[in-house]
Amino acid sequence: MNAPLLKVRNLVKEFGNFRAVSGLTFDVDLHQVLGLLGPNGAGKTTTLRMLSGFLTPTQGDIFIAGCSMREHPLTTRSQIGYLPESVPLYKEMKVSEYLSFIGGLRGLSRGGIKKERERLLEDLELQNVSSRLIGKLSKGYKQRVGLAQAWMGNPRLILLDEPTSGLDPEQTVEIRMLIAKIKETSCVILSTHILSEVEKMADRVLILNEGAIAASGSPAELSRRLAAGKTFRLAVRGAEEKIFEVFDSMPEILSARKRFEKEGILYFSIQTGPEKEIQPQIVQRLVHNGLELIELAEEEAKLEKIFLQLIH
Amino acid sequence: MKKLAILYIQELKNAFHSYIAYILLAVFIAISGFFFVTLSAHFSLISQQWKAAPGIPEMNFNLTEIVLTGLFVNVAGLALFFTPPLTMRSFAEEKRQGTLELLLTLPISDTEVVLGKFFSCYTLFVLMILPLWLYPLLIQQAGGYFEWATVASGFLGMLLLGASFISLGIFISSLTTSQVVSASLSFGAFLFLWMAGSLENVPELEPLIWLGNFSMLEHFKSLARGILDLRDIVFYLFFTLFFLYATTVRLEIRSFRR
């Protein structure tokens, strides 16, 4: 089995008496997208700033491909592409000029810069603005230029702080697709406070709260592991009172709610306890009482719900 | 070194993207030219007066001292005003735009970043004072005699003074996110260092007389007169290196927030 690309060990960051990040330990593999999720002040940006080499950790260390960031800061930084939340760019530079500048500082040869610049202009659809001043571009284009500089030289670890912040839905989808593309060659760590984003983009999620890991796993795993109970969606044909009588007769069903009625079919949402596998019993009872079951499906618990449970 | 060169070239390009660099260069050269003309006219006037007045004992009017040393001292005073606009952008603007966070996460050392910015500002400064070489040549063309060694010493003094001002200006720029604050503080600091020698004239400030050792003017005066004192040269070099180092330390602390 391959060693993880990124190893973070007991990472701590203190600003005076304030501990912004406290003892983070996690690994990330190549071709994986890790989402850092948490409310404002959870330590996401501070964590990314430490991973990027901008801030030095108070304690702990970061290893990229086995190389310690404390001992070899320049070597490790050469494997990192970073896009801060504010998308800082030199407004007075042209797009292609800026990408060449970043390529040069990443130590690429003249030929390498040209090749990478062409690749990025094509992949990020920036060809038609390549000779325009960055300051004159729209927010969506600026975001793409920011992503392009992070991807310049194809670093193995790409850090994106709130990459879809302030973008419209169409631009958000474009960035999501680009992240999927970057993942083919690199490992991506992104921070966000938007749950739906992390669910769509990340293979793994770290939920941060007050600088510590509150939970980790894939979005689906987290949903399963941390769900307080199960929610089922039912569609039944029959008398409403009779259906509710069946639900009331089952102590495993904690609550039942009629959602709507359409063409003689009643749609319900029911909550059960966490462990019980009660689908067979529901089917049996409904059929036994002469009711026609059209649909019975389990609803996956939303990450939002888990998130709120963890931080409160 | 390659990365330092890339940063240096880009910094220079950025400076010339705006009109500020052109305006500074043009105004500085124009004012220094004005100083040369007035000092030459002054020299011409007093030498003619001496010739026209019989009975005055023979005097040796030194063209180099009156015109060129005077020019160097005046132009050095002008640098007090023209160096802050050169350095104010260096870090303050990067911090305001947030680009410093990105720059410092690239595989380039903090020392290279500081030196790249220092050399680009210094190049602009050298471009400003470069035309000073033309004035002795003009005097020579007009048949005047002057001492080349004094000119070289004065020019060296200007180069050393400029390096000191720029290193301090860059350090001050790293302390703030505002170009205006950076320029104002730099000007205040330069003015104090220029005038520090005057403290000995104020009896009430006697405990601060030692600060006079840091007077840029006092160290410059002897170089402008053609006196090459190693202590003056070491003072400027040490001052420059100290503030370049202080700026690097400032970047390494990275406690700043946008």
Side-chain angles (χ1 to χ4, degrees):
Chain A
M1 193 181 160
N2 290 336
L5 175 72
L6 173 73
K7 286 203 284 185
V8 175
R9 293 291 175 268
N10 190 33
L11 206 61
V12 173
K13 184 66 192 176
E14 289 170 351
F15 297 107
N17 292 328
F18 174 67
R19 185 171 268 220
V21 171
S22 86
L24 294 190
T25 295
F26 60 89
D27 294 344
V28 192
D29 296 324
L30 195 64
H31 311 303
Q32 196 172 49
V33 178
L34 175 75
L36 298 180
L37 187 64
N40 289 333
K44 305 184 297 289
T45 297
T46 306
T47 304
L48 285 179
R49 281 180 163 172
M50 284 191 281
L51 295 176
S52 70
F54 179 67
L55 289 178
T56 309
T58 310
Q59 279 176 43
D61 204 352
I62 296 156
F63 299 88
I64 298 174
C67 189
S68 159
M69 191 173 261
R70 272 191 195 280
E71 288 169 23
H72 309 284
L74 290 183
T75 312
T76 47
R77 270 194 255 156
S78 68
Q79 305 205 46
I80 297 171
Y82 175 45
L83 178 61
E85 184 184 357
S86 57
V87 194
L89 300 165
Y90 294 100
K91 296 182 178 74
E92 65 278 15
M93 286 168 82
K94 290 175 181 167
V95 173
S96 55
E97 182 190 12
Y98 176 61
L99 293 179
S100 302
F101 171 63
I102 296 290
L105 292 185
R106 284 195 191 281
L108 301 185
S109 65
R110 193 171 286 192
I113 291 172
K114 190 171 182 288
K115 200 174 150 194
E116 274 295 280
R117 192 183 58 216
E118 297 309 315
R119 174 183 76 84
L120 291 166
L121 290 175
E122 193 185 330
D123 281 357
L124 286 110
E125 293 174 24
L126 289 165
Q127 296 106 319
N128 52 349
V129 294
S130 65
S131 54
R132 281 180 62 185
L133 289 175
I134 292 172
K136 303 276 181 196
L137 298 179
S138 67
K139 187 167 171 58
Y141 270 120
K142 281 182 185 162
Q143 193 78 7
R144 282 197 233 170
V145 175
L147 265 176
Q149 69 74 26
W151 204 7
M152 185 77 192
N154 221 344
R156 289 206 275 176
L157 175 62
I158 298 210
L159 309 167
L160 309 171
D161 195 359
E162 305 271 0
T164 55
S165 169
L167 298 181
D168 64 34
E170 198 180 331
Q171 291 166 338
T172 303
V173 171
E174 283 172 11
I175 298 295
R176 212 182 288 151
M177 285 160 70
L178 281 169
I179 290 170
K181 203 165 186 176
I182 294 171
K183 183 186 153 181
E184 289 170 15
T185 54
S186 309
C187 147
V188 180
I189 300 182
L190 56 93
S191 80
T192 181
H193 61 277
I194 304 167
L195 297 156
S196 57
E197 283 305 310
V198 84
E199 278 183 306
K200 282 170 192 150
M201 290 190 282
D203 304 311
R204 261 183 69 213
V205 181
L206 285 187
I207 298 179
L208 297 183
N209 189 37
E210 294 174 354
I213 298 175
S216 70
S218 70
E221 270 170 20
L222 281 174
S223 300
R224 275 198 297 276
R225 182 146 40 104
L226 298 164
K230 288 177 182 170
T231 305
F232 292 96
R233 207 171 53 239
L234 274 100
V236 186
R237 198 193 299 273
E240 188 176 332
E241 301 83 42
K242 204 165 185 183
I243 298 168
F244 271 112
E245 272 174 28
V246 172
F247 292 155
D248 291 342
S249 69
M250 296 178 71
E252 298 89 348
I253 295 176
L254 304 177
S255 68
R257 177 173 66 85
K258 183 182 145 191
R259 290 162 63 214
F260 59 93
E261 185 177 348
K262 195 178 171 188
E263 295 167 2
I265 300 170
L266 293 126
Y267 292 84
F268 297 90
S269 176
I270 63 168
Q271 283 278 322
T272 67
E275 273 92 37
K276 304 212 171 182
E277 286 290 329
I278 65 157
Q279 295 96 314
Q281 291 176 52
I282 295 172
V283 176
Q284 195 185 16
R285 291 282 183 99
L286 288 170
V287 174
H288 184 73
N289 283 280
L291 297 161
E292 187 186 348
L293 181 64
I294 311 289
E295 185 193 358
L296 173 60
E298 186 182 337
E299 279 185 358
E300 208 171 330
K302 286 281 172 202
L303 207 48
E304 186 152 7
K305 193 171 154 192
I306 302 158
F307 180 55
L308 291 171
Q309 280 173 7
L310 284 164
I311 64 171
H312 287 118
Chain B
M1 281 301 283
K2 188 187 157 201
K3 290 175 187 173
L4 195 157
I6 289 168
L7 188 64
Y8 162 76
I9 292 165
Q10 194 57 52
E11 285 288 319
L12 266 186
K13 274 189 192 171
N14 290 349
F16 284 104
H17 269 305
S18 70
Y19 292 108
I20 296 172
Y22 296 104
I23 291 169
L24 284 175
L25 284 173
V27 175
F28 187 91
I29 291 166
I31 297 176
S32 60
F34 173 75
F35 285 152
F36 174 69
V37 170
T38 52
L39 286 164
S40 302
H42 173 66
F43 176 79
S44 171
L45 184 71
I46 57 168
S47 58
Q48 278 172 15
Q49 281 173 346
W50 173 75
K51 276 182 191 168
I56 295 175
E58 194 172 322
M59 286 174 68
N60 183 20
F61 284 112
N62 188 327
L63 179 68
T64 310
E65 193 170 328
I66 293 176
V67 179
L68 293 177
T69 302
L71 178 68
F72 281 128
V73 172
N74 283 346
V75 169
L78 199 60
L80 291 176
F81 300 90
F82 280 76
T83 318
L86 293 182
T87 57
M88 66 182 186
R89 262 181 71 91
S90 53
F91 283 106
E93 184 63 5
E94 292 257 19
K95 285 164 75 176
R96 194 188 65 78
Q97 287 196 18
T99 44
L100 190 62
E101 180 172 352
L102 220 144
L103 189 62
L104 296 180
T105 56
L106 290 166
I108 175 167
S109 70
D110 295 352
T111 309
E112 284 174 307
V113 172
V114 173
L115 289 179
K117 289 188 178 284
F118 170 79
F119 285 126
S120 75
C121 290
Y122 196 51
T123 303
L124 290 173
F125 180 82
V126 172
L127 286 175
M128 285 202 307
I129 64 164
L130 209 55
L132 293 180
W133 278 107
L134 293 174
Y135 304 134
L137 291 173
L138 278 173
I139 294 172
Q140 201 174 37
Q141 285 288 315
Y145 169 78
F146 62 91
E147 296 147 14
W148 272 109
T150 307
V151 173
S153 167
F155 205 77
L156 174 69
M158 285 298 300
L159 290 173
L160 291 168
L161 180 81
S164 305
F165 277 169
I166 285 167
S167 68
L168 176 58
I170 284 179
F171 173 70
I172 290 171
S173 180
S174 75
L175 302 175
T176 174
T177 54
S178 160
Q179 292 190 49
V180 176
V181 172
S182 167
S184 308
L185 286 177
S186 299
F187 177 67
F190 296 169
L191 195 63
F192 174 76
L193 287 167
W194 193 248
M195 305 291 289
S198 316
L199 286 169
E200 63 185 27
N201 301 329
V202 188
E204 290 80 4
L205 297 176
E206 200 186 333
L208 298 176
I209 281 178
W210 61 273
L211 285 170
N213 294 323
F214 295 98
S215 167
M216 293 279 174
L217 180 62
E218 296 306 317
H219 287 283
F220 183 72
K221 269 181 186 168
S222 35
L223 284 165
R225 283 193 201 108
I227 304 162
L228 271 182
D229 189 333
L230 195 62
R231 283 174 299 183
D232 296 327
I233 296 170
V234 168
F235 167 78
Y236 283 123
L237 289 178
F238 180 78
F239 190 95
T240 304
L241 291 175
F242 175 80
F243 279 105
L244 288 177
Y245 177 71
T247 312
T248 311
V249 171
R250 169 74 188 132
L251 291 190
E252 279 168 4
I253 294 169
R254 283 174 174 51
S255 59
F256 41 78
R257 287 279 175 274
R258 277 187 303 109

